[in-house]
Amino acid sequence: MLLKGTGVSAGVAQGTAYVLSCGYRSAVPQRSIRASEVDGERGRLEAAVAKAEAELAALQEDVRERIGPLQAEIFSVQRLILADASLRDRLLRTVEQKRVNVEAAVSEVLEDSARSLEVAKDGVVQGRAADVHDVRRRLLSALAEGPGGARPEIPSGAIVVADELLPSLTARLQLEHVGAFVTVRGNRFSHSSILARSLGTPAVAAVPSALAQIKTGDRVIVDGVAGVVFVNPESSIEREYERLAADLKSSKEKLRQLIDLPSTTLDGTPLPLLANVNKFSDTEAALLYKAEGVGLYRTEFAFSIRSTFPTEDEQFEFLERAAERMHPRKLVFRLLDLGGDKILPYFPLPPSRNPSLSERGIRLLLRYLDVLKAQLRAFLRVSARYPISILLPVVVGVEDVRQVREVLGQVQSELTAEGKRFNPAVPLGAMIEVPSAALMIRNLSKEVDFFSLGTNDLVQYVLAADREDESTTPNYQPLHPAVLRLIQSVVEEANNCGRDLSICGEMAGDPLNTALLLGLGLRELSVAPGQMLEVKNAIRRTRLEDARKLATAALELGSAAEVEALLSK
Ligand code: PEP
Ligand code: MG
């Protein structure tokens, strides 16, 4: 299940849900009291005010230390409200005259004050209403708990799910135990969001059905970058996020110093390092490691987490957010690559004896024009404001590109007729991941603006070894000389035809292969963000002349084992 909200503190976390029920949101326990109870209620009010004041003071101190004195001032207003003698008088009068418990008085009097502020014309005065609400909730919370409210025992790494994380509650949590926050209410400017950000704890707010859909013990993924929450997700989604969490954490502390160093070889040749991105939140890791752009944005993930095809507008929304985030860097969106190992639960493909050799990629998409058109429209709309390119998956030959160009032309006419803006010269590229395409670069160069070498598939098709099948793993050899020769020929032909070429297959992310790939002539690498620093490290240790010699030697060898032996030397 996928719940949408607003990412208020970036980062991702996976863990077990811990649902907190917060007293201040549940119905206020209102009751009539006897005259003999008035004194007791007065005492309860004093205790609650004192507790609230102590909490606020502690919170203010905490914020002052962790964030700064300016932010800590948010709480001064609330402390002033609490200290206001006339407010206390009104509260006590209400208890005495109306003979109601303190909760009822707090609720009535403070709601009343908040309402009068809310109607004010001045935005700043209006803003004070939120402080009054907060004080009201804090007092009710203090009254609900009685003296020394219990500190919830949060299991380590738990995903805290709550209606709203007001500072009074947040302050009581063992924050170091919290893996992430999910709340029904709140926004970026809520106090708890500020705190979550300062602690580096991922948080998603404004998830209306969080309490209805999440139970304590559920497996939850919180994506504070995209603003989504997955409840009991499939293992493929968990794996995706495990990878991103590892990317963001990057155990390779010693490589961090490389972040700000240029990606250039020892002899000073710049080697742009781009990121492979599977979902919006991967842009976080891409930016963290200062990727020069996104060389491959796979769009399948965004389709796989929904129960139907996302609409054009939905696609536009998440693609434009990514483009905005990466701006002004280069960004290559790939059209949906279905078939083979990539299947959508709501789009069953006919059973096939051999999925990798059945219709897939762009050819499959061309049979589902509605899906293709919606995606192209979304891409084009993003191109109006951002420098994006469009990449076609699993291109086999020139017809594939020509057909897409035809559909692209139709879509452009439609958009023009609707008065929607787009870049009419948006660059179109082809994935080179099928041997036929690798051998037809010269012809394809007349049809596309750039190429991206997809070695994950290329290796399986060159060596007849299924990339997903464990029994063929020993035969799936990215370093096989046949693969290297094909890569070399693609590089040469693309250069001759003046077409940009990058490599985005996994083999580009292995630093052991970097010198070899540079020696084969590749000059732009797109790798998973978590591999970026290691590859940059390898680039910075490579002299192009040595790399060329290495590649020449490798191309002469007869097997992958021999190439591996050469590289490890
Ligand atoms: C590839 O095939 O090398 C590639 C980058 O695409 P994917 O892994 O998505 O098939
Ligand atoms: Mg591929």
Side-chain angles (χ1 to χ4, degrees), residues 159-163 165 180-184 202-205 207 210 214 220 222 229:
I159 307 292
V160 171
V161 183
D163 182 55
L165 281 173
F181 295 110
V182 179
T183 54
V184 173
V204 176
V207 183
I214 309 176
V220 175
V222 178
V229 178

Side-chain angles (χ1 to χ4, degrees), residues 334 337 342 360 433 457 467:
R334 189 172 72 183
D337 181 7
K342 303 179 181 103
R360 54 168 298 200
E433 49 186 345
D457 278 307
R467 68 192 263 190

Side-chain angles (χ1 to χ4, degrees), residues 30-85:
Q30 310 206 19
R31 64 182 179 89
S32 305
I33 55 167
R34 287 188 293 272
S36 59
E37 287 179 283
V38 169
D39 274 353
E41 289 302 286
R42 185 179 293 126
R44 288 183 69 228
L45 175 65
E46 294 305 331
V49 169
K51 186 168 186 296
E53 163 58 24
E55 273 177 7
L56 272 174
L59 185 68
Q60 191 167 28
E61 195 43 43
D62 189 45
V63 172
R64 200 189 317 278
E65 267 174 32
R66 291 181 204 242
I67 311 177
L70 215 61
Q71 289 83 346
E73 280 312 300
I74 336 170
F75 301 103
S76 294
V77 179
Q78 295 191 23
R79 293 182 73 183
L80 281 174
I81 297 171
L82 265 185
D84 181 357

Side-chain angles (χ1 to χ4, degrees), residues 276 296 298 300 334 337 341-342 360 394 431-433 453-458 467 504-506:
N276 288 350
L296 170 66
R298 293 181 172 98
E300 294 82 44
R334 189 172 72 183
D337 181 7
D341 54 313
K342 303 179 181 103
R360 54 168 298 200
V394 202
M431 285 288 289
I432 301 301
E433 49 186 345
L453 197 53
T455 47
N456 302 343
D457 278 307
L458 191 63
R467 68 192 263 190
C504 62
E506 288 301 310

